[in-house]
């Protein structure tokens, strides 16, 4: 009997849909915060101070998110979980040390002023916001490592439950600030966001901790036993995230050299937000691979192939039917030339939505095999290719405006996928991380 038969589509969907819903609900948290800050008498300044501090938080958040994948790939008993906890503590200490330097030394002023281009008048409000946001890293790390355990044990409904409770808490706190007329600075947004993350971390901890307590102390055939093995797996992921963080700023810098600077940057941002909306539900395909590919490879491949085309078809529908102009005008209040330019940029993002789910699937295979050095190489290829295409298009056709950013980002993602596919093809017969039995075997190709 085929190993695929016991795994039904119903079981796959029951695993995947809660993950997709929780990822999609994240966008609502940003809506709650921005709509609250918009009640301020100085809404533009308040929202800007929160957004700028949040942009730095996003840099430190990405490595934290990778701890979830690391946990899903490596943790199978309490010994491997303790090894992960040790590496997590080192990472968290480094992030908090950096946060302290940003908040309490001139380093922070220099980063926001020169790297993020923050106006002098906004520097103090931005640092005040980051003074609160830096502690979000603690909650984020707790959430991610325990969500990794929850996902591995097929209890993905708890991610959706945690997100719903988080949103309820954030909305209640938002109403409190509005009713008490306390929306006076961007720190209000930081408090709401930190409270939401604390709630989600608490839910993940309470459920994840119960699972950890019922894990066996040590599975002899599971070869992840030391903190060194965990760090060897995680280090390339960390380096790849550092490379990835430069892509966004590079795109914005180059869009600043187009013919219509404001139009280019705004249309790219609007089209990008729609594109991410189409993709958000499908960002956990790698978890399907990590949890089911070993036993049911054919079923997982069928599932990924089916799900992978949905974001592409959704974006195609929005970009090339009357639904697109209607959505931009009525849902996002975008009109005139900006509407036309945003729609044109969205059409250039179609390749991006086609590639992303299959890259996520491929990265799942890379994580499953422990070949994390590949992700550093592929992310580097992405950054280099994106930069080259940006320079060529800005010099050759600056009138393309926001389209330049979409084409460059899509091409960079294609380069990343090609690198990953080459490695998978070359090492197709290698065993996965979970199926390796010898503790002395390397966990990286």
């Amino acid at each position: 009997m085929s190993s695929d038969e016991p795994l039904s589509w119903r079981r796959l969907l029951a695993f995947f849909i809660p993950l997709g819903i929780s990822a999609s609900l994240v966008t609502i948290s940003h809506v709650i915060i921005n709509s609250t800050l918009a009640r301020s008498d100085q809404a533009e300044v308040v929202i800007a101070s929160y957004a700028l501090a949040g942009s730095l938080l996003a840099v430190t958040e990405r490595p934290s998110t990778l701890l979830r994948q690391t946990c899903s790939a490596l943790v199978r008993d309490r010994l491997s979980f303790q090894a992960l906890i040790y590496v997590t503590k080192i990472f968290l200490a480094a992030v908090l040390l950096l946060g302290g330097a940003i908040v309490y030394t001139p380093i922070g002023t220099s980063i926001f002023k020169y790297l993020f281009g923050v106006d002098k008048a906004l520097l103090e409000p931005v640092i005040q916001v980051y003074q609160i946001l830096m502690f979000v890293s603690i909650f984020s790390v707790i959430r991610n490592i325990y969500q990794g355990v929850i996902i591995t044990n097929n209890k993905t409904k708890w991610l959706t439950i945690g997100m719903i409770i988080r949103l309820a808490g954030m909305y209640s706190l938002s109403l409190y600030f509005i009713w008490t007329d306390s929306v006076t600075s961007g720190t209000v947004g930081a408090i709401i966001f930190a409270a939401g993350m604390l709630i989600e971390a608490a839910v993940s901890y309470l459920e994840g901790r119960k699972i950890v307590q019922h894990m066996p102390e040590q599975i002899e055939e599971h070869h992840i036993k030391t903190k060194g093995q965990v760090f060897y797996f995680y280090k390339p992921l960390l380096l790849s995230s550092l490379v990835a963080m430069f892509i966004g700023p590079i795109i914005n810098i180059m869009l600043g050299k187009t013919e219509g600077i404001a139009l280019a940057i705004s249309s790219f941002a609007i089209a990008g937000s729609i594109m991410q909306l189409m993709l958000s539900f499908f960002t956990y395909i790698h978890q399907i691979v990590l949890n089911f590919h070993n036993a049911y490879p054919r079923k997982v491949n069928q599932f990924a192939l089916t799900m992978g085309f949905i974001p592409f078809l959704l974006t195609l529908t929005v970009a090339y039917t009357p639904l697109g102009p209607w959505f931009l005008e009525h849902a996002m209040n975008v009109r005139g030339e900006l509407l036309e330019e945003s729609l044109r940029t969205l059409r250039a993002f179609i390749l991006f939505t086609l590639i992303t789910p299959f890259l996520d699937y491929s990265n799942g295979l890379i994580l499953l095999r422990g070949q994390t050095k590949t992700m550093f190489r592929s992310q580097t290829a992405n950054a280099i290719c994106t930069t080259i295409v940006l320079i060529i298009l800005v010099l050759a056709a600056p009138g393309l405006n926001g389209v330049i950013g979409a084409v460059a980002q899509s091409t960079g993602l294609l380069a990343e996928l090609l690198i990953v596919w080459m490695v998978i093809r070359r090492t197709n017969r290698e065993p996965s991380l979970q199926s390796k039995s010898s503790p002395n075997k390397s966990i990286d190709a």
Side-chain angles (χ1 to χ4, degrees):
M1 181 167 41
S2 169
S3 63
D4 293 72
E5 289 176 8
L7 182 65
S8 66
W9 273 78
R10 182 177 178 179
R11 183 180 166 195
L12 278 171
L13 289 171
F15 176 90
F16 183 73
I17 288 175
L19 294 175
I21 292 173
S22 66
S24 299
L25 288 177
V26 170
T27 57
I28 298 177
S29 66
H30 301 305
V31 172
I32 291 171
I33 292 171
N34 288 327
S35 61
T36 304
L37 297 182
R39 304 293 185 105
S40 171
D41 293 334
Q42 295 180 302
E44 289 184 6
V45 174
V46 169
I47 292 173
S49 64
Y50 173 78
L52 289 164
S55 62
L56 180 58
L57 178 68
V59 173
T60 58
E61 272 289 282
R62 185 179 172 91
S64 169
T65 303
L66 294 170
L67 286 168
R68 186 192 294 130
Q69 285 94 306
T70 302
C71 182
S72 293
L74 302 186
V75 172
R76 295 294 178 272
D77 52 28
R78 275 182 277 173
L79 183 64
S80 54
F81 183 76
Q82 289 304 316
L84 175 70
I85 290 292
Y86 183 89
V87 173
T88 299
K89 287 177 180 177
I90 295 174
F91 165 75
L92 190 55
V95 170
L96 291 177
L97 191 65
L98 176 63
I102 290 169
V103 170
Y104 298 110
T105 73
I107 292 174
T109 303
S110 300
I111 289 174
F112 284 116
K113 185 176 181 180
Y114 299 109
L115 192 60
F116 288 87
V118 176
D119 186 79
K120 188 177 181 181
L122 274 173
L123 281 174
E124 188 176 347
V126 168
I127 290 176
Q128 286 174 349
V129 173
Y130 192 77
Q131 200 166 7
I132 298 170
L133 288 181
M134 64 177 278
F135 293 104
V136 169
S137 297
I138 300 173
F139 311 139
S140 179
V141 163
I142 294 171
R143 177 195 68 171
N144 287 326
I145 59 174
Y146 283 101
Q147 281 186 352
V149 172
I150 289 168
I151 291 169
T152 303
N153 285 270
N154 295 344
K155 296 190 176 183
T156 53
K157 66 179 182 181
W158 282 100
L159 270 72
T160 303
I161 292 170
M163 180 56 70
I164 291 171
I165 298 173
R166 165 185 165 174
L167 293 176
M170 290 176 69
Y171 185 64
S172 300
L173 196 55
S174 166
L175 291 177
Y176 167 78
F177 282 118
I178 292 170
W179 287 342
T180 57
D181 199 24
S182 304
V183 187
T184 56
S185 70
T187 55
V188 168
I191 292 169
I192 293 172
F193 185 67
M197 289 293 286
L198 172 60
I199 291 168
E200 192 180 8
V203 173
S204 300
Y205 173 81
L206 290 172
E207 180 60 27
R209 190 64 191 165
K210 287 191 293 185
I211 296 172
V212 171
Q213 287 172 346
H214 287 92
M215 282 181 174
E217 180 62 35
Q218 182 179 348
I219 299 174
E220 285 301 324
E221 59 268 23
H222 183 54
H223 74 292
I224 301 297
K225 301 181 186 299
T226 67
K227 55 184 179 288
Q229 290 172 305
V230 174
F231 183 71
Y232 192 62
F233 180 95
Y234 179 65
K235 184 174 71 172
L237 298 181
L238 182 62
L239 293 174
S240 72
S241 72
L242 294 176
V243 173
M245 79 180 190
F246 289 105
I247 295 175
I250 288 170
I251 291 173
N252 286 327
I253 289 169
M254 295 308 294
L255 290 180
K257 301 182 184 301
T258 56
E259 287 185 356
I261 299 173
L263 188 63
I265 294 173
S266 56
S267 63
F268 178 78
I270 291 167
S273 65
I274 296 173
M275 180 264 295
Q276 290 298 335
L277 185 64
M278 301 296 106
L279 284 169
S280 60
F281 190 87
F282 304 91
T283 53
Y284 278 98
I285 291 176
H286 66 275
Q287 289 291 353
I288 291 284
V289 177
L290 284 172
N291 286 276
F292 299 108
H293 191 275
N294 266 351
Y296 313 105
R298 190 167 66 225
K299 185 72 75 174
V300 168
N301 291 343
Q302 290 171 356
F303 185 86
L305 193 64
T306 303
M307 291 294 167
F309 284 103
I310 296 177
F312 166 72
L313 294 173
L314 289 173
T315 310
L316 201 67
T317 302
V318 174
Y320 285 100
T321 70
L323 180 62
W326 180 90
F327 183 81
L328 283 164
E329 184 173 350
H330 296 284
M332 302 187 72
N333 202 31
V334 178
R335 293 180 172 84
E337 188 180 10
L338 181 57
L339 187 152
E340 296 299 326
E341 198 67 30
S342 299
L343 203 58
R344 191 163 69 127
T345 305
L346 182 62
R347 288 167 182 164
F349 264 128
I350 287 174
L351 179 62
F352 192 97
T353 59
L354 178 62
I355 294 170
T356 300
F358 297 105
L359 176 61
D360 196 40
Y361 165 82
S362 302
N363 280 335
L365 289 176
I366 291 296
L367 289 167
L368 192 66
R369 298 173 180 181
Q371 299 168 323
T372 51
K373 285 183 179 179
T374 300
M375 295 178 74
F376 172 66
R377 293 195 290 267
S378 64
Q379 195 65 248
T380 302
N382 184 339
I384 292 171
C385 188
T386 299
T387 304
I388 291 171
V389 173
L390 280 169
I391 293 170
I392 292 172
L393 290 179
V394 165
L395 293 174
L400 289 175
N401 295 326
V403 171
I404 291 173
V407 171
Q409 200 167 4
S410 300
T411 308
L413 200 72
L414 179 60
E416 183 177 349
L417 179 62
L418 290 174
I419 295 293
V420 172
W421 272 359
M422 285 168 59
V423 173
I424 290 173
R425 186 179 178 85
R426 191 179 72 239
T427 60
N428 227 10
R429 295 184 179 274
E430 290 191 9
S432 73
L433 194 62
Q434 285 93 330
S435 63
K436 295 175 183 178
S437 57
S438 171
N440 297 319
K441 284 184 180 181
S442 166
I443 63 170
D444 204 314

